[in-house]
């Protein structure tokens, strides 16, 4: 009996979780940087 | 002797840590560090997981199910080491009142909960073909489930107060008390008779798994660990900016 469905399920879970974390973190970081620049123009040097 | 001259010249560790409490300095440093975490994380994780899927052999007893190890073991390692970092940040927060330590603990929490959930889910997917059960109330599995609840509890507690400082304080106390679960997780397989196997890789002895299975495991563990910290650093940068936005808005409201 093959165990590949369990293996593929594990890798897909990892991919789904990693993608979710990367996308949500990236959006949050961009939004925070944009809001900070809008409020405080001196924050232009901030990344 | 004058009382002021009796103060030792040596700087306390907390004092040097406070150099990074300046948000601008921290953000510049974190932005420089970020690519050195993100790109190696992507490359090493891809190499480790693809190597584990296509290049490493199936185990002579477990067959292809052993490939779950390349996701499960890094997740398990990060669940414990992430909580150790959360507890360390909480300790720094309580002892030295470092403002970044509060934010670091708050940002490690949700990422740690996610990797612990991944560890439990992949463990379940590994357990079904090997043990014939999705879940057993084994000491290792149960102590990791407790760790997951500690992460969730910490994440909710730090966000449960109107005054963020009270939330950070309560979360730090919970994190330090919860750290007692870490040695229980580590030694559960030695202290009790468990279905879960003992450690295959230890600091004191040679690994008990073949080198052909070990190299993808090393790459994926290193890559996923770097990825974990890349996400934590990015979340911490966002949290520092959000705190600064709140401060600026409060100052404007007070001045108006």
């Amino acid at each position: 009996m093959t165990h590949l469905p369990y293996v593929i399920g594990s890798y897909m879970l990892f991919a789904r979780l990693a993608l979710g974390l990367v996308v949500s973190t990236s959006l949050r970081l961009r939004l925070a940087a944009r809001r900070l620049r809008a409020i405080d123009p001196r924050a232009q040097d901030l990344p | 002797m004058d009382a002021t001259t009796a103060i030792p010249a040596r700087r306390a560790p907390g004092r040097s840590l406070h150099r990074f409490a300046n948000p601008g300095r921290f953000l510049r440093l974190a932005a420089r560090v970020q690519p050195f975490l993100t790109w190696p994380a992507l490359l090493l994780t891809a190499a480790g997981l693809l190597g584990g899927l296509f290049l490493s052999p199936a185990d002579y007893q477990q067959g292809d199910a052993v490939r779950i190890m390349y996701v499960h073991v890094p997740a398990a390692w990060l669940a414990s080491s992430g909580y150790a970092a959360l507890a360390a940040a909480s300790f720094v927060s309580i002892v030295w009142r470092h403002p970044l330590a509060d934010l670091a603990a708050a940002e490690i929490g949700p990422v740690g909960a996610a990797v612990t959930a991944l560890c439990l889910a992949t463990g379940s997917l590994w357990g079904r073909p090997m043990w014939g059960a999705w879940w057993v109330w084994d000491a290792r599995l149960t102590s990791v489930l407790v760790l997951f609840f500690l992460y969730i509890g910490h994440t909710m507690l730090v966000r449960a107060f109107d005054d963020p400082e009270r939330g950070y304080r309560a979360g730090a106390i919970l994190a330090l008390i919860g750290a007692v679960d870490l040695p229980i997780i580590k030694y559960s397989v030695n202290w009790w008779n468990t279905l879960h196997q003992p450690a295959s890789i230890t600091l004191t002895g040679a690994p008990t798994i073949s080198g052909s299975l070990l190299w993808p495991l090393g790459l994926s563990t290193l890559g996923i660990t770097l990825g974990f910290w890349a996400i934590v650093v990015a979340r911490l940068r966002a949290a520092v900016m959000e705190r600064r936005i709140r401060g600026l808005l409060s100052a404007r409201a007070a001045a108006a």
Side-chain angles (χ1 to χ4, degrees), chain A residues 2-4 6-7 9-11 13-14 17-18 21-22 24-25 28-29 32-33 35-36 39-40 43 45-47, chain B residues 27-28 31 49 53 62 64-65 67-68 70 107 114 121 125 128-130 234-235 238 241-242 244-245 248 252:
Chain A
T2 178
H3 299 140
L4 276 178
Y6 299 102
V7 178
S10 296
Y11 278 59
L13 264 179
F14 169 73
L17 187 86
L21 280 172
V22 167
S24 64
T25 303
R28 183 181 164 198
L29 189 58
R35 284 186 65 203
L36 184 58
I39 292 169
D40 180 13
D45 61 324
L46 293 178
Chain B
L27 287 173
R28 278 189 292 275
L49 295 186
L53 264 184
Q62 299 191 34
D64 282 320
R67 301 183 200 282
I68 297 172
Y70 305 118
E107 297 306 328
L125 283 164
R128 182 70 184 86
M130 292 300 105
R235 289 176 64 94
M241 288 185 205
E242 288 160 0
R244 193 160 167 180
I245 290 166
L248 288 167
R252 278 189 190 177

